[in-house]
Amino acid sequence: MVERILQSREVEKLCKGESDSPHSVLGLQSLSKKGSKDAVIVLFRPGAEKVSLQIFEEVVEATSFQEAPGFFFYKLPEKLTQAASSLGSFDYKIYHESGLLAHDPYAFPSLWSRLDEEFFMLGKHEEIYLRMGAVVREFMGVKGVSFTVWAPNAISVSVVGDFNMWNGFVNPMRKIEGSSGVWELFIPGTGEGTRYKWEIVTSSGERIRKSDPYGKSFDYPPEFASVVIGEEIFTWTDDSWMERRIQAGDRRHLPINIYEVHLGSWRWENDRPMSYQKLAEQLAAYCQQFHYTHVELLPVTEHPLVESWGYQVGGYYAPTRRFGSPNDFRYFVNYLHSQGIGVILDWVPAHFPTDDFIFSNFDGTPLYESVWHRDYLHPHWGTYTFDYNKNPVVNFLLGSALFWLKEMHIDGIRFDAVASMLYLDYGRENGEWTPNKDGGRENIEAKEFIQLVNAVIHEKFPGVITFAEESTSFPKVTFPVEDGGLGFDYKWNMGWMNDTFHYFRTHSDQRSSHHQCLTFGLMYAFNENFVLPFSHDEVVHEKGSLIGKMPGDRKQKFAQLRLLLSYQMCQPGKKLSFMGTELAAFDEWSPNRGLQEYLLEDVDHKTFNDFVKALNFFYLGHPPLWEKDCKQEGFDWVDFSDTTNSVIAYTRSGYRSRSYREGYLRYEELETRLSGMGEDQYKLLCVHHFGVQSLSKYFLSCASSNVELVFNSNAKSFGGDGSGWCLHSSLYRDSKNLGIGVFLDIPPLTTLIIKVAS
C-alpha cells in the first residue's frame, strides 16, 4: 500500500524540489482499502540517514524508502490507527536535524480561507498583514508560524531558514488550490527571531531566494533575511490622544507646524544614532521647546541602504531595526502622543529598488513591477514602479498603509512622489512612454489606487491626515473621492516653494524683475489645501543649506533666513521645515552624522535659534495665521505691486483674539479655549521687505487706527539691530490723499507683523 504513495508524481517533484502539493503525499496518509483504516506517516528529509518520531510519548524510528532516497515512513500500529480519527490532526512529532522536536508541518490543513482569497483578489483585504508573510499563531492547539506568500508564476516555493539549515528541499509549501497563486505552510515549533526567506523555482527552472515582501523585521544587509516577529504585546496609553485626534477632524481650522526628521541623523550618541526610546524622549522635548505640532519621519520602513534616507524601501511592514524593535517604535509613537506631538510617516507607494533579493522579478516574472513601458525602470531614480493594475499589488500597498495606522498608531501619511504615479510620461521623453487605454497620459490605475487608499483611511481612521507630495497642477488633489478628487487632506505646495527659493537666491538689485515669484502663488493658494514645505530635498545633492542659498554678507544671510521663515509663517498654508533649519547651518545636510548643535556656541546661530522658537510660538498663538488657511476670506492683499522697493503686504484674518498657553496644546483644550472667544475678530498685517535699503515713513492702507507691532524679525534678540516700528496710525489723509492707514519705518530684509483690531 505504501507503494501507491511512492508512485505518486508528487514524489518525483519533491525529489526535484519542484512540488506544489507536498501535503498530498507527506504527513498522515490514509491507506484505507476495502474497509480497512490503515494509516502511514510519510516524511521527506533529503540527506538524512534516519528520522525519529515521537508518538504519544513513545519514540519510534521511521523506515526509509529504498526506492526514493530521502523519504521515510512509519505505518501506524492498529491500536494507534484508531486514535487517528481525523486526517491531519494525529498527535505525533518529528525530531529535526537541528534537534527541534515539533509537530509535522504536513499534518495541518490550509489556513488561507475563501474569504481571504476573495478580498485579496479585490485588493481590499484590510488586514492582509495578519495573513501574509510570517505570522506567529496557535493552530489546532499547536504553536508555530504560518508562512504565506503570493507567487502565482512559481513552479514551487519553499521556506528556508535557520530551522531547516537553509535547505530548500525540506519545507516545500502548498499552492492553495483555486487561489490567485498563494502558497502557505504552517511550521510548528518555530517562532520569534527565526530568520527565513522564500526559495522559489521559477518557470525557467531557476532557483532563487527572496526576502519576504510582508516581512515585519529584517536582518542587516547584505543578507537582508526576513525575521519572524513574535506575538508582541504592547500596552498603549494614548487613548485620550486618539480620541482627541478624531474630534479634531481634518485640522484645516487648527495649526499644523511640522518638524521633518531623519531619525538616523537627528542626534547621535557615542558616534551612532540614538535608539527609538531615547529619540522619543529627546525629540518630544525638543518639539515642545520649539512649539512644533507634529514630526514627520523620513521613511522608517526598513531599507537596506542608509544613503537612500529610507526612500528605497525593502520592508513596507517593518520599522527599521537600526533604532530598535517594532515595540520600541511603538514606544516612540506612544511617548510623542503623551507629550502632545503627532507623528507623520513618509510612505513610498510609487517605486521600489531593483535589488534582486526582494521585489524585483519576485517569482521569476515582473510581479510587483509595472511593465507598461518598454523600459521598466523609472528614469529619475532607476527604480521599478508598482503595477497598480494588479489587485494583489494594490492590496500589498493598502495593507502597508493600514498596518502603520492600526499597529503603530501613526497620525498621518505623506505619499512620496505622487506626480510620478499619476502621469505615465513623468520623466520620460516622447517615444519612451505608452499612453493609457484612452490615449492619454494619466495613469488611471494609479489614480484609482490613490483614491482607494485615501477613502479607506478616512473611513477607518477618522482624524488621520494624508499628504500628497504632488509637484504638478493635477486637479482636485485635496478634494474628496466622492467629488472626483484624490482624497488627500493636504498637498505640498511645490510651486510656491520653488518660486520662493528662486526669488531668495536672486540678489536684491535684481529682485524687482522677479516680483511675480512672490505674488503668483496667491493666484492658486486656495484651489487646494496646501502645506508650505522647506523639506530635506532642498538641502541635499549640492543644493546647499538654506542659509547658503541666501545672497549677501554674513549679517544679510541671517537676516534673509529670518525673512524667509517669517514669510513662510505668514503665508496661507500649513508649515513644514526640515530638521536643522533652526540651527542655520552653512553645511549641507548629511545623513551620516548628527545635527551640528555645536553651532549654538556661536552668538549668531544661537540668536537665530531663539528666533525660530519665538516665530513658532507666535504662529501657535495667533489664529489668523492658521484658522482660515484654506479659505480665500482669510487673506487680503494690501499691496502686491511695489516692485521698486521689493515690498509686499497683506492681511490674515481670524475670529479669535486670544492665544493659548506656551507649548503645544491638546486638541480639546485648544477647541475649548477657542470656542469661548466668540466672534472677536482681528487681523494681522504682514509686511515683508526684500530689499537691502531702509524704508522711512512707508505708507500702507489699514482700515483701523487701533494697531500694534507684534512681531519684528529685525529685533535685537533675533540678531537684528532693533529698528522697525509703526510711526503713526490714524484716520489719516495727506495732500496725496493716501487714505486711512499707517506709516512704517521698515528695515532691510525684514518681516513686520502688525495686529489690527476691528
Side-chain angles (χ1 to χ4, degrees):
M1 298 300 292
V2 176
E3 286 74 11
R4 176 177 61 81
I5 298 174
L6 279 174
Q7 294 169 2
S8 168
R9 174 80 175 92
E10 202 60 37
V11 169
E12 180 183 351
K13 291 163 66 176
L14 279 165
C15 291
K16 292 182 178 180
E18 298 178 355
S19 171
D20 63 357
S21 184
H23 293 71
S24 65
V25 294
L26 300 181
L28 183 65
Q29 301 293 327
S30 173
L31 299 178
S32 299
K33 187 176 182 181
K34 296 182 179 179
S36 67
K37 296 183 178 179
D38 293 345
V40 63
I41 298 171
V42 181
L43 307 171
F44 183 50
R45 289 291 182 272
E49 295 183 0
K50 66 176 184 178
V51 175
S52 298
L53 299 87
Q54 179 179 299
I55 303 177
F56 292 139
E57 307 303 326
E58 180 183 354
V59 178
V60 300
E61 189 169 316
T63 303
S64 65
F65 281 124
Q66 297 300 320
E67 300 87 343
F71 279 87
F72 297 81
F73 72 94
Y74 179 79
K75 186 177 179 182
L76 272 66
E78 185 176 348
K79 63 178 181 178
L80 294 181
T81 302
Q82 301 301 319
S85 57
S86 62
L87 190 66
S89 62
F90 188 66
D91 188 11
Y92 68 93
K93 296 180 180 179
I94 309 167
Y95 284 95
H96 295 263
E97 288 182 83
S98 62
L100 175 71
L101 176 65
H103 288 80
D104 185 1
Y106 300 97
F108 295 85
S110 174
L111 285 161
W112 183 258
S113 70
R114 289 185 179 180
L115 201 58
D116 288 326
E117 178 68 15
E118 179 182 348
F119 282 107
F120 184 59
M121 285 308 295
L122 288 172
K124 297 180 179 180
H125 199 312
E126 294 177 3
E127 294 187 335
I128 191 64
Y129 52 89
L130 298 179
R131 299 296 293 111
M132 282 286 182
V135 180
V136 172
R137 62 182 301 170
E138 184 174 312
F139 184 42
M140 298 175 63
V142 177
K143 293 182 179 180
V145 176
S146 171
F147 292 94
T148 313
V149 64
W150 179 59
N153 303 302
I155 297 297
S156 70
V157 182
S158 298
V159 187
V160 295
D162 299 323
F163 53 89
N164 61 18
M165 308 301 182
W166 298 89
N167 187 336
F169 287 78
V170 174
N171 289 123
M173 304 176 75
R174 161 176 48 200
K175 189 174 186 179
I176 305 300
E177 186 176 355
S179 75
S180 57
V182 174
W183 303 71
E184 71 163 7
L185 184 65
F186 178 70
I187 303 184
T190 52
E192 181 177 2
T194 299
R195 298 166 67 245
Y196 70 98
K197 283 191 175 185
W198 312 119
E199 184 165 293
I200 298 171
V201 177
T202 70
S203 58
S204 66
E206 183 183 6
R207 191 174 294 272
I208 59 177
R209 286 187 178 178
K210 296 286 187 177
S211 301
D212 185 3
Y214 286 88
K216 310 304 187 301
S217 182
F218 293 86
D219 203 353
Y220 296 107
E223 283 295 322
F224 209 65
S226 306
V227 181
V228 176
I229 292 297
E231 297 177 284
E232 295 188 310
I233 298 174
F234 183 84
T235 304
W236 291 96
T237 59
D238 63 349
D239 288 352
S240 59
W241 168 273
M242 301 295 275
E243 181 60 33
R244 291 194 301 270
R245 192 178 75 180
I246 294 173
Q247 295 172 1
D250 63 16
R251 286 194 59 101
R252 280 180 293 178
H253 61 300
L254 295 174
I256 294 180
N257 190 11
I258 302 167
Y259 188 58
E260 188 188 29
V261 179
H262 177 254
L263 289 183
S265 60
W266 180 65
R267 184 174 282 175
W268 280 26
E269 184 178 61
N270 299 324
D271 296 323
R272 59 167 295 157
M274 290 183 173
S275 67
Y276 284 126
Q277 294 204 12
K278 286 194 174 182
L279 283 165
E281 292 155 11
Q282 296 194 25
L283 187 57
Y286 197 79
C287 287
Q288 288 184 327
Q289 180 185 10
F290 280 86
H291 315 294
Y292 291 107
T293 63
H294 295 74
V295 296
E296 179 174 321
L297 307 179
L298 270 64
V300 294
T301 39
E302 190 60 271
H303 47 284
L305 183 65
V306 171
E307 286 74 17
S308 79
W309 319 325
Y311 290 97
Q312 303 287 330
V313 181
Y316 278 79
Y317 292 80
T320 178
R321 288 183 66 186
R322 290 173 175 85
F323 319 121
S325 70
N327 263 356
D328 291 334
F329 182 76
R330 289 184 176 95
Y331 175 90
F332 174 89
V333 176
N334 192 66
Y335 187 84
L336 262 67
H337 285 174
S338 74
Q339 303 303 304
I341 309 298
V343 182
I344 300 165
L345 176 72
D346 265 15
W347 188 56
V348 191
H351 58 92
F352 60 90
T354 60
D355 303 277
D356 60 7
F357 51 73
I358 188 162
F359 294 108
S360 64
N361 288 290
F362 183 76
D363 62 358
T365 66
L367 188 62
Y368 285 89
E369 58 264 47
S370 171
V371 295
W372 185 262
H373 303 298
R374 182 173 54 189
D375 183 358
Y376 301 168
L377 296 181
H378 196 283
H380 279 193
W381 305 292
T383 54
Y384 291 119
T385 56
F386 282 104
D387 188 350
Y388 310 106
N389 196 42
K390 294 176 182 171
N391 283 342
V393 175
V394 167
N395 208 152
F396 168 77
L397 292 169
L398 171 65
S400 170
L402 300 182
F403 167 83
W404 290 95
L405 298 178
K406 183 174 182 180
E407 300 296 325
M408 300 297 172
H409 287 206
I410 293 297
D411 302 292
I413 294 181
R414 178 258 198 186
F415 289 48
D416 180 63
V418 171
S420 72
M421 301 167 67
L422 292 171
Y423 295 102
L424 294 168
D425 63 342
Y426 188 88
R428 300 178 187 269
E429 302 294 334
N430 290 335
E432 296 179 346
W433 61 282
T434 305
N436 62 30
K437 62 184 179 181
D438 300 321
R441 58 196 287 256
E442 181 181 297
N443 189 329
I444 298 171
E445 289 77 19
K447 177 181 177 181
E448 292 173 347
F449 159 75
I450 291 169
Q451 291 174 319
L452 170 67
V453 176
N454 274 319
V456 173
I457 286 175
H458 289 120
E459 177 188 356
K460 302 295 183 181
F461 299 94
V464 164
I465 316 170
T466 61
F467 303 82
E469 186 212 15
E470 203 287 305
S471 56
T472 73
S473 57
F474 194 90
K476 295 187 173 182
V477 172
T478 59
F479 284 62
V481 171
E482 54 268 27
D483 294 337
L486 294 183
F488 289 102
D489 294 295
Y490 294 97
K491 170 182 173 175
W492 277 26
N493 196 335
M494 309 296 284
W496 175 89
M497 179 205 67
N498 289 327
D499 284 347
T500 298
F501 282 134
H502 175 79
Y503 185 85
F504 270 85
R505 288 192 195 98
T506 304
H507 284 270
S508 58
D509 59 352
Q510 300 173 359
R511 284 181 173 175
S512 61
S513 59
H514 296 271
H515 199 74
Q516 72 280 1
C517 292
L518 301 174
T519 59
F520 179 71
L522 274 302
M523 299 288 290
Y524 59 85
F526 306 102
N527 294 346
E528 303 274 8
N529 305 327
F530 283 117
V531 169
L532 308 182
F534 292 154
S535 75
H536 68 281
D537 277 330
E538 309 316 311
V539 292
V540 292
H541 299 318
E542 300 184 355
K543 294 178 185 175
S545 64
L546 287 192
I547 196 167
K549 300 180 197 301
M550 305 295 111
D553 59 25
R554 180 181 175 89
K555 181 179 180 180
Q556 289 175 327
K557 285 179 180 293
F558 276 97
Q560 299 245 34
L561 191 55
R562 295 194 301 270
L563 174 59
L564 174 72
L565 297 188
S566 54
Y567 172 68
Q568 176 200 32
M569 202 61 78
C570 290
Q571 290 275 288
K574 307 308 180 184
K575 322 301 177 186
L576 179 142
S577 296
F578 185 51
M579 65 180 199
T581 298
E582 69 279 11
L583 299 175
F586 282 89
D587 292 340
E588 192 174 78
W589 168 65
S590 168
N592 298 313
R593 66 174 182 230
L595 292 182
Q596 299 169 288
E597 293 185 277
Y598 63 84
L599 292 172
L600 298 179
E601 298 172 8
D602 176 88
V603 64
D604 290 336
H605 293 278
K606 178 63 172 65
T607 53
F608 180 81
N609 194 251
D610 293 338
F611 163 78
V612 175
K613 293 177 189 176
L615 179 66
N616 289 350
F617 180 57
F618 183 85
Y619 167 75
L620 291 182
H622 288 275
L625 294 181
W626 41 260
E627 191 180 32
K628 296 182 180 180
D629 263 330
C630 305
K631 297 180 178 180
Q632 176 72 61
E633 65 191 63
F635 178 93
D636 281 299
W637 278 116
V638 174
D639 190 348
F640 59 84
S641 60
D642 189 357
T643 60
T644 302
N645 293 304
S646 297
V647 173
I648 61 171
Y650 50 87
T651 59
R652 300 293 309 279
S653 61
Y655 293 127
R656 323 300 183 186
S657 62
R658 285 178 284 173
S659 62
Y660 52 96
R661 70 173 171 82
E662 183 173 354
Y664 182 65
L665 205 66
R666 304 299 199 273
Y667 287 125
E668 82 278 5
E669 293 177 272
L670 176 60
E671 288 290 5
T672 299
R673 186 166 298 192
L674 293 182
S675 64
M677 291 181 182
E679 298 297 313
D680 187 8
Q681 189 173 21
Y682 76 103
K683 295 183 178 182
L684 291 177
L685 171 61
C686 303
V687 184
H688 309 291
H689 178 207
F690 302 93
V692 294
Q693 303 298 323
S694 295
L695 301 177
S696 179
K697 296 184 179 180
Y698 190 91
F699 180 83
L700 287 170
S701 296
C702 182
S704 174
S705 60
N706 188 2
V707 297
E708 176 188 2
L709 179 64
V710 290
F711 192 89
N712 180 358
S713 69
N714 190 49
K716 286 185 177 181
S717 59
F718 302 151
D721 63 14
S723 62
W725 60 87
C726 173
L727 289 178
H728 183 70
S729 61
S730 65
L731 302 179
Y732 188 91
R733 294 180 184 274
D734 69 359
S735 59
K736 296 182 180 180
N737 196 29
L738 293 173
I740 303 171
V742 294
F743 284 94
L744 303 173
D745 276 357
I746 311 178
L749 306 172
T750 295
T751 291
L752 300 179
I753 305 177
I754 299 162
K755 183 176 180 180
V756 182
S758 55

